[in-house]
Amino acid sequence: MKTVEQKNIEIVTAFIEAPANRRVLDRTDQFFAEQLSEAFTDRHYAVDEILAQGGKVTARIVITGTHQGTFAGKAPTGRSVKITQFREFRIIDGQIAEHRGWFDTGTLLPQLQAH
């Protein structure tokens, strides 16, 4: 029989990997968040690491994509990028009740610099 944590990890993993949820995963309170979907139109989300404790699940997500639109004032470079996003989820009765996230612009922006 699966533990609560195992079930919650499955719920969150399915949510992250469903293409229909890309726009939801793009939303954070960060300044550049709205530009993400326009600048990296081919982005893909994959769970890199996931931890659960009771109803709380924390995921490290890897976003890959191609810089095809302006992001943080940087014109499109055509470069492939790898972005780390962290998200915290709260699961109640087998449903995602809330979640919030942030992505690592500190490692993204240098990938868009001229070489």
Side-chain angles (χ1 to χ4, degrees):
M1 184 152 84
K2 292 182 184 177
T3 66
V4 169
E5 285 83 2
Q6 289 169 322
K7 290 176 186 175
N8 289 344
I9 285 172
E10 288 177 358
I11 291 165
V12 168
T13 300
F15 178 84
I16 291 167
E17 293 179 348
N21 293 326
R22 287 192 331 185
R23 289 222 182 266
V24 174
L25 292 169
D26 290 346
R27 284 189 238 137
T28 72
D29 292 333
Q30 292 170 277
F31 179 73
F32 298 122
E34 290 189 22
Q35 298 174 25
L36 192 68
S37 62
E38 296 170 12
F40 307 97
T41 57
D42 65 342
R43 66 201 176 288
H44 174 75
Y45 293 79
V47 174
D48 188 41
E49 183 176 18
I50 194 163
L51 303 167
Q53 183 175 13
K56 182 178 178 181
V57 179
T58 304
R60 183 174 61 216
I61 302 162
V62 173
I63 307 168
T64 54
T66 308
H67 184 210
Q68 300 171 342
T70 302
F71 184 83
K74 307 280 185 203
T77 61
R79 291 192 183 114
S80 294
V81 298
K82 184 177 177 181
I83 308 163
T84 300
Q85 183 185 68
F86 295 92
R87 278 199 107 70
E88 293 178 346
F89 296 83
R90 191 164 59 95
I91 312 298
I92 298 174
D93 297 327
Q95 300 288 320
I96 296 172
E98 66 179 316
H99 62 97
R100 62 185 163 277
W102 57 99
F103 59 94
D104 184 3
T105 55
T107 57
L108 170 59
L109 295 175
Q111 295 177 68
L112 306 180
Q113 300 297 324
H115 291 231

